[in-house]
Amino acid sequence: MKKMLKIVFALLLVVWLIPFESVQAASFKDVSKDNTLKTEIDYLVEKGIIYGYPDNLFKPDTNVTRAQVAAMLTRALGLQTTNVKDPKYQDVPITHPYYKEIAAAQNAGIFLSAQEFNPDATLSRGHMAIVLQRAFKFKGSGISYFTDVSPETSGYKEISLIANNNIAKGYDDGSFRPNLPLTRAHFSAFLARALTLSNPNLLKDTAYDYTYSHYSLKDKKQYTLKYQYSHYDDKNDVWAVSDLNSNKVFNDELLFSDGEFYGQAIAENVSLHYDLYFALPLRIGVIQHENDGGVTSGVRLTVKATDGTVQAGGVKYSNVIVLEEKSIYNDGVSTYYFVDGIGLVKELYNDVVVYELLDRTAN
């Protein structure tokens, strides 16, 4: 009887450890389509880095454990789990279900040597920053402006680096809350962002003239637009725009980027308003919420991919930045496709192609 119970228990343990790969993020009953972290959760599920539960639940608010973090990082980074060196954690024997993943993460320097690993303990936001910095080695500024993070805070530099790379944001009161335990949803978001971090040049190349097919939503007409670099106005690249068929002159396009922000606008006589304005570098997920203030308030911007593909003008582009824009003022959805060093190659409004790059010629 005892032998039979052991067999049953072993089978249950195996079933519990099997990833439920058939469960897609879109079907999770507890992750709504408006969830601001849905893009990141979808990404990790599709990559096989995190899994749901057999009852179509993701359990986003459940705290993530250190063992689970080690397992997800091992999958995300493709760490070797064969012939791993024993980290000799007293509480992680070789029979532990996550032994190989914990050992792989420790061997890679993501977790340090110690007497115990505490596999079932939670991971705080501050320690998350330390772990992700060891795993991804972010570049940039190490200065923090959070009200509860000082140079004496454990992980001060790492918290600063993940914040300045747009991996994690603080709270509305200006705090980071480094001691707050991480949930499955939040760690999924941070990991997915780290994996998709990209700092592309989204400006048009001033050494080229651009030709776009343009469908005007205002007058319902089709145009073939030529963009020619005009000048730099001490802030923006100014591009002159005209229709090749009718020679009709359109408003100039203004493009701005200083390496930390990107903006694009249509030049008008009365005022200047950026139609798109967001922080760099980019990573998947919501980068601007409709409740945020600023020059583009009322808009939700979501980076859907930093390594996407798109067909435009007979050319298939890879490593495409796919940006989705939703406004509280209308029901339309704009989707922008940017390519590093080229700029915008395609734009959709709902399912209508409003801009498509046809050609670039050296000027």
Short mmCIF file of all heavy atoms in Angstrom, two decimals, residues 28 44 99 109 152 246 301:
data_model
loop_
_atom_site.label_atom_id
_atom_site.label_comp_id
_atom_site.label_asym_id
_atom_site.label_seq_id
_atom_site.Cartn_x
_atom_site.Cartn_y
_atom_site.Cartn_z
N PHE A 28 -6.79 33.04 -20.65
CA PHE A 28 -6.78 33.07 -19.19
C PHE A 28 -7.99 33.86 -18.69
O PHE A 28 -8.20 35.01 -19.07
CB PHE A 28 -5.50 33.71 -18.66
CG PHE A 28 -4.26 32.89 -18.89
CD1 PHE A 28 -3.08 33.49 -19.27
CD2 PHE A 28 -4.27 31.52 -18.70
CE1 PHE A 28 -1.93 32.75 -19.47
CE2 PHE A 28 -3.13 30.76 -18.91
CZ PHE A 28 -1.97 31.38 -19.29
N LEU A 44 5.58 35.71 -22.84
CA LEU A 44 6.27 34.63 -22.13
C LEU A 44 5.57 33.29 -22.32
O LEU A 44 6.23 32.25 -22.40
CB LEU A 44 6.37 34.96 -20.63
CG LEU A 44 7.28 36.12 -20.24
CD1 LEU A 44 7.48 36.14 -18.72
CD2 LEU A 44 8.63 36.04 -20.93
N TYR A 99 15.94 21.64 -9.25
CA TYR A 99 17.38 21.59 -8.97
C TYR A 99 18.21 22.05 -10.17
O TYR A 99 19.10 22.90 -10.03
CB TYR A 99 17.80 20.17 -8.58
CG TYR A 99 19.31 20.00 -8.55
CD1 TYR A 99 20.06 20.46 -7.46
CD2 TYR A 99 19.99 19.40 -9.62
CE1 TYR A 99 21.45 20.33 -7.45
CE2 TYR A 99 21.36 19.27 -9.61
CZ TYR A 99 22.09 19.73 -8.52
OH TYR A 99 23.45 19.61 -8.51
N GLY A 109 25.85 32.89 -12.50
CA GLY A 109 26.12 34.07 -11.69
C GLY A 109 24.91 34.91 -11.39
O GLY A 109 25.02 36.03 -10.88
N GLU A 152 22.16 53.97 -0.06
CA GLU A 152 22.31 52.96 0.99
C GLU A 152 21.37 51.78 0.77
O GLU A 152 21.48 50.75 1.44
CB GLU A 152 22.03 53.57 2.36
CG GLU A 152 23.12 54.52 2.86
CD GLU A 152 23.14 55.84 2.10
OE1 GLU A 152 22.04 56.35 1.80
OE2 GLU A 152 24.24 56.33 1.80
N SER A 246 -0.21 64.99 -58.23
CA SER A 246 -0.86 66.30 -58.38
C SER A 246 0.02 67.47 -58.00
O SER A 246 -0.38 68.63 -58.17
CB SER A 246 -2.13 66.33 -57.52
OG SER A 246 -1.78 66.26 -56.14
N LEU A 301 -0.34 53.77 -25.45
CA LEU A 301 0.63 53.27 -26.41
C LEU A 301 1.17 51.93 -25.92
O LEU A 301 1.63 51.83 -24.78
CB LEU A 301 1.79 54.24 -26.59
CG LEU A 301 1.49 55.60 -27.25
CD1 LEU A 301 2.75 56.45 -27.28
CD2 LEU A 301 0.96 55.41 -28.66
#
